[in-house]
Amino acid sequence: MIEILLLSAGVGGTAAALWYAAPAGRGLHRYVVPRARLRADIVRLEHEADELTCAVLRLSTENTAIGKDRDAAHEALADTRLRNVELGKQLAAFDRLCSENTQLRADLANARAVRPLPADDAPTVPQGLPALPLHEAPFAQPPTAD
């Protein structure tokens, strides 16, 4: 009799373990979510998916606009670099002209400079003729009164 009792307890324990742990069983381990709650969750998740889709589209549009602005800024930067190089060339040409102008002014000032000739370089008798002041020259005539 004890054997039957122990055998039935073992069979009952095995049946209880299968009932609670087996995936195909219908025991307390399976929590059944009401269908209304599942439908509400589906509606809520679809609404969230729609909002996220709209957000992605909005951000994609903003990204496109920002990309266009970036491309315009890159083009402006390239144009500015070209103008900068051109202005550098013009500035170098202007510097050359300024230095040439300064040199020409110095040459002109040296050419117009009035300075006494050294005594050994200044001939007193050019080409063998005596040099006299005008009032002592033989062809000088006294001024006439008019």
Side-chain angles (χ1 to χ4, degrees):
M1 170 126 167
I2 292 188
E3 296 168 352
I4 294 176
L5 186 64
L6 290 176
L7 185 59
S8 63
V11 170
T14 303
L18 288 175
W19 179 264
Y20 288 107
R26 300 266 186 230
L28 295 175
H29 71 283
R30 296 188 58 166
Y31 175 70
V32 178
V33 180
R35 290 180 188 226
R37 178 185 266 175
L38 291 175
R39 287 186 186 118
D41 287 345
I42 289 172
V43 169
R44 180 181 54 83
L45 292 174
E46 285 178 349
H47 181 68
E48 286 180 13
D50 289 342
E51 287 178 356
L52 291 174
T53 303
C54 291
V56 166
L57 290 175
R58 185 182 72 246
L59 291 175
S60 175
T61 305
E62 289 177 9
N63 189 24
T64 303
I66 290 171
K68 288 179 182 178
D69 291 344
R70 182 202 60 223
D71 292 342
H74 280 296
E75 290 175 9
L77 179 64
D79 188 39
T80 302
R81 286 181 177 158
L82 290 175
R83 287 183 183 178
N84 192 14
V85 168
E86 186 178 320
L87 288 175
K89 290 177 183 177
Q90 290 179 1
L91 184 61
F94 179 75
D95 288 342
R96 283 192 305 273
L97 287 175
C98 284
S99 65
E100 184 180 342
N101 188 22
T102 303
Q103 182 63 39
L104 289 174
R105 285 179 186 247
D107 293 344
L108 183 62
N110 287 336
R112 289 183 176 173
V114 177
R115 52 186 172 263
L117 293 174
D120 56 343
D121 287 345
T124 56
V125 181
Q127 300 174 352
L129 298 175
L132 300 172
L134 285 177
H135 66 280
E136 294 178 7
F139 55 86
Q141 295 179 2
T144 58
D146 289 327

